[in-house]
Amino acid sequence: LVGFRGRLARMTKRYPFPNPANETSARLVAAGVVIISAAFLLTNSTLVLLALTYGFAARVIAGPAFSPLALFVTRIITPKINFSHKLVPGPPKRFAQTIGLTFAATALTLTLLDYSFAAQLVIAALIFAATLESVFAICLGCIMFSFLMKLGVIPQSVCESCNDITLRTQSVGTAN
C-alpha cells in the first residue's frame, strides 16, 4: 500500500489537476457524464458503469490526462468554442470529481452485488448533479467543498484562491 501511495503521489505531481480550471470544459465533461450515465440507465450495462467509474477515477488522480472524455473535451471541443472561458479554482472541481467517483463506484458495487435498482437510483442522483453543473453551472460538489472549508474540515490552504474573488472573474479566450 505504501508503494501504491508513492506512485499515486508521483502521478498527481506529474499530471496535476488544472488550477485554475476552465469552467466551460468542466460543464462539458459534466454533460458527457449525463450522457454516459443515461446510457447506463437505458442499458443497465456494467461495462458502461465501469467506464464511468474509470473516467472519474482518472480525473481525480490526474486531471484530464487519462480520461478519454476530459481529453476529448479539453483538446477538441473547448478550443473550438469561440468565446471567453471563465476560470474557476481547481480544488473544488477535483472534490466534485471525487464525489462523482464515489457515486459511480457505489453504483458499480451495487450492480456487481445484483442490486441494480439501487444502482440506478444512485446514477439518477449523479445525473441530477451533473445536469445542474452542465446546464446551470451549479456545482453541488463545489458548494459542499465551500461548506466544508467554512467548517474547517478542509483547510483554507487547500484552496487559497477560493477566497480570492478576482480569480472567479477572470476569463480567457480558449484556455483549457
Side-chain angles (χ1 to χ4, degrees):
L1 188 62
V2 174
F4 174 75
R5 284 185 188 160
R7 285 190 299 276
L8 185 61
R10 284 190 302 276
M11 182 181 290
T12 57
K13 283 183 183 178
R14 186 170 182 190
Y15 302 103
F17 196 90
N19 188 27
N22 183 325
E23 186 173 29
T24 304
S25 294
R27 291 177 70 182
L28 289 169
V29 168
V33 166
V34 170
I35 293 166
I36 295 167
S37 298
F40 168 72
L41 292 182
L42 293 172
T43 66
N44 209 33
S45 169
T46 304
L47 290 177
V48 170
L49 204 47
L50 189 61
L52 181 68
T53 304
Y54 167 79
F56 276 114
R59 290 188 296 277
V60 167
I61 293 169
F66 298 108
S67 165
L69 173 60
L71 284 170
F72 177 69
V73 165
T74 60
R75 303 285 185 245
I76 297 170
I77 297 184
T78 301
K80 291 183 188 239
I81 299 174
N82 193 18
F83 65 83
S84 292
H85 300 280
K86 183 178 172 187
L87 297 178
V88 295
K93 293 297 183 188
R94 183 178 225 166
F95 181 81
Q97 291 295 316
T98 304
I99 299 300
L101 172 59
T102 303
F103 273 68
T106 298
L108 179 60
T109 302
L110 289 168
T111 298
L112 293 173
L113 294 173
D114 207 23
Y115 292 105
S116 61
F117 181 70
Q120 291 174 342
L121 290 176
V122 170
I123 293 302
L126 180 62
I127 288 173
F128 175 75
T131 299
L132 285 178
E133 168 73 4
S134 65
V135 177
F136 302 107
I138 298 171
C139 176
L140 295 179
C142 299
I143 292 168
M144 187 185 300
F145 183 92
S146 174
F147 181 71
L148 291 171
M149 277 186 73
K150 286 177 185 162
L151 288 177
V153 175
I154 298 174
Q156 297 288 327
S157 62
V158 170
C159 185
E160 293 172 2
S161 62
C162 292
N163 298 321
D164 183 359
I165 194 73
T166 60
L167 180 62
R168 292 183 219 164
T169 59
Q170 287 182 13
S171 62
V172 293
T174 56
N176 294 331

